[in-house]
Amino acid sequence: MKTIQKPWLKSLLLVMVVSGLMLAGCADSVNNSTQASAETNNTITAQASNPEMSTLPRLEGKATVVMTVKGSPITIEVDGENAPITAGNFVDLVSRGVYDNLVFHRVVRDPQPFVVQGGDPQGKNPNVSVNQLGTGSFVDPDSGRPRYIPLEIKPQGADEPLYSKTFKQARVSGAPVLNHTRGAVAMARSQMPDSASAQFYFALADLSFLDGDYAVFGYVTEGMDVVDGIQQGDRIDSARVTAGAENLKR
């Protein structure tokens, strides 16, 4: 499969950045929730400045998640060896049933395949339309507060991941261990590095220009044809941890 040419994608991302979207937001919902966004940014800023990450779930090893969409399974290998916090967050949310019945609110295939994005917890509210999704986060029932995770990307040759900075910000010139190849599963976020929560996306093609900016935490190993068939508004029937649940440490 040909690698996507960058010019049109850079233009698309520029539009997203200017609109305050990146891969996480939605224009309508951003315009309608200024106050909520301000409160969210304050929370993210406070958490990002806290070096303690011990309260976040971690995946010590690998796990397998089977996500069913329109009755068909998508098998995801989640890599806690190279992205322990990002992978742990995802597996924890799966085990809580957070993704069950959530909507894929953004699907970009034209002019070239890009991403399928979902996981906004607001999608369980029938009064929230698909066009309003894209700004929701997981609210931890134990604390009553949104859970955000740090940007976590492990450079090749490094012993530990880089946290809270993009490769450009940290002046890392190499490639990450987990790349945006077709079938990669990564966390969506706003412009702030430590703003990822529950929303994720599937890469529909090789998207190497996202490497070092967004945190990949796994890959589709079976069912990529199912991902290719997802349309905006389709829902996740269910998501289950089928192997490696014992590697999740809360």
Side-chain angles (χ1 to χ4, degrees):
M1 180 174 185
K2 291 184 178 180
T3 301
I4 291 180
Q5 297 299 311
K6 293 183 181 181
W8 73 269
L9 279 173
K10 286 186 175 180
S11 297
L12 174 62
L13 287 177
L14 179 59
V15 172
M16 291 180 174
V17 171
V18 170
S19 302
L21 308 181
M22 300 297 281
L23 286 168
C26 175
D28 292 337
S29 53
V30 169
N31 291 335
N32 293 332
S33 59
T34 303
Q35 183 176 356
S37 296
E39 293 175 355
T40 296
N41 287 340
N42 289 337
T43 302
I44 295 171
T45 301
Q47 182 168 311
S49 63
N50 185 353
E52 295 298 328
M53 296 183 288
S54 60
T55 60
L56 295 173
R58 298 177 68 91
L59 186 68
E60 298 179 354
K62 294 188 177 182
T64 302
V65 168
V66 174
M67 184 174 290
T68 305
V69 179
K70 295 188 289 188
S72 298
I74 302 166
T75 303
I76 303 168
E77 182 182 81
V78 186
D79 190 344
E81 294 176 354
N82 294 299
I85 292 178
T86 313
N89 176 69
F90 183 75
V91 172
D92 178 62
L93 296 181
V94 169
S95 66
R96 292 172 181 265
V98 170
Y99 292 119
D100 295 354
N101 203 37
L102 289 190
V103 177
F104 288 102
H105 61 274
R106 175 173 290 139
V107 178
V108 182
R109 291 196 176 89
D110 295 319
Q112 297 273 1
F114 185 39
V115 299
V116 170
Q117 182 178 330
D120 185 337
Q122 298 177 107
K124 289 191 178 181
N125 184 344
N127 296 321
V128 178
S129 70
V130 173
N131 292 331
Q132 292 177 296
L133 298 177
T135 60
S137 302
F138 167 68
V139 176
D140 191 325
D142 295 329
S143 66
R145 300 175 59 190
R147 178 204 288 172
Y148 300 103
I149 60 172
L151 179 63
E152 177 185 51
I153 309 176
K154 186 176 182 180
Q156 289 185 9
D159 294 330
E160 298 292 336
L162 173 69
Y163 288 100
S164 302
K165 291 183 179 180
T166 65
F167 276 19
K168 183 177 180 180
Q169 291 170 335
R171 299 183 179 180
V172 174
S173 58
V177 174
L178 303 179
N179 299 297
H180 278 83
T181 55
R182 171 172 157 82
V185 190
M187 294 302 292
R189 62 173 178 83
S190 69
Q191 294 185 52
M192 300 184 68
D194 294 348
S195 58
S197 180
Q199 295 184 51
F200 67 94
Y201 60 91
F202 294 110
L204 295 177
D206 294 344
L207 307 174
S208 60
F209 67 96
L210 294 180
D211 289 344
D213 285 328
Y214 293 87
V216 174
F217 60 87
Y219 295 91
V220 174
T221 56
E222 293 181 48
M224 195 60 200
D225 59 320
V226 180
V227 176
D228 288 334
I230 293 174
Q231 302 296 323
Q232 184 182 40
D234 287 346
R235 291 184 179 272
I236 300 170
D237 299 333
S238 65
R240 299 289 180 266
V241 182
T242 60
E246 69 280 1
N247 294 329
L248 178 63
K249 311 300 179 183
R250 292 188 173 96

